[in-house]
Amino acid sequence: MPVNWLKTENIQQIHIAAHLHDIGKIGVPDAVLNKEGKLDDEEWEAMKKHPSIGAEILSKSRHLKELKYIVLCHHERFDGEGYPLGLKGEEIPVGARIIAICDSIDAMTSNRSYRKAHDFDYCYQEIKNNLGKMYDPIIGQYVLDHWEEIISVIKISR
């Protein structure tokens, strides 16, 4: 995959959407967001609303509404088993497919109230095992092929 396969405008949109992708969590109760341990079914349903809430928030801004579909789709899975729309493959905006991998790396390598952070080797293996399932296989392979570069940037930023 060539480095210049996205237009500069698309890269900027994806960059901004990545910063805003979880804005919808503002509409999820704090008791759910801050719960230690596994979410029950009702709590999980509340959490799964955050992409839709985020898209609704962004749709109110004439400057940010073009990002709403990326934010809406950042929890879709390449195999169609994601949420909220159940999109699959290239039906999912490319920005959302990129953010899904980035968000997963961050989630896996960060401490959570219910578990310790996983190491980068574990994270690499999870991405590899889920190519074509959770993740776009082309984008995911690109991430794996550039893994050392990516984790060096993550380590610097933390």
Side-chain angles (χ1 to χ4, degrees):
M1 175 182 312
V3 174
N4 61 351
W5 65 284
L6 287 173
K7 296 177 185 172
T8 300
E9 178 184 338
N10 299 118
I11 294 169
Q12 291 170 342
Q13 289 174 344
I14 294 165
H15 179 93
I16 295 166
H19 285 289
L20 297 173
H21 76 278
D22 277 342
I23 193 170
K25 286 184 178 179
I26 198 166
V28 177
D30 285 344
V32 173
L33 290 174
N34 300 324
K35 181 178 179 181
E36 292 190 28
K38 188 175 174 148
L39 300 178
D40 65 29
D41 291 343
E42 185 177 323
E43 293 163 334
W44 181 237
E45 288 306 315
M47 182 65 84
K48 286 170 49 175
K49 291 179 182 174
H50 84 270
S52 299
I53 295 167
E56 180 64 24
I57 291 168
L58 294 179
S59 73
K60 305 295 185 202
S61 167
R62 66 185 168 96
H63 299 291
L64 299 175
K65 67 182 174 184
E66 62 193 18
L67 307 177
K68 72 180 182 180
Y69 198 56
I70 296 172
V71 169
L72 178 66
C73 297
H74 78 276
H75 279 292
E76 298 292 348
R77 290 173 42 130
F78 202 77
D79 64 6
E81 297 296 317
Y83 63 90
L85 305 174
L87 301 178
K88 85 186 284 188
E90 293 188 12
E91 296 172 341
I92 305 165
V94 68
R97 288 182 268 151
I98 292 169
I99 292 169
I101 295 174
C102 298
D103 193 33
S104 292
I105 293 169
D106 180 59
M108 283 187 267
T109 62
S110 298
N111 287 321
R112 299 292 193 223
S113 62
Y114 51 89
R115 66 152 175 79
K116 295 271 190 203
H118 294 291
D119 63 27
F120 287 110
D121 291 337
Y122 174 90
C123 184
Y124 179 97
Q125 208 52 52
E126 281 297 300
I127 293 169
K128 183 177 179 182
N129 292 342
N130 284 286
L131 294 178
K133 298 172 193 163
M134 291 180 71
Y135 311 116
D136 179 304
I138 295 171
I139 296 170
Q141 189 60 55
Y142 188 85
V143 167
L144 296 177
D145 291 345
H146 295 85
W147 189 250
E148 291 304 318
E149 181 183 348
I150 290 167
I151 64 171
S152 70
V153 171
I154 293 169
K155 289 176 181 178
I156 291 169
S157 67
R158 288 190 174 166

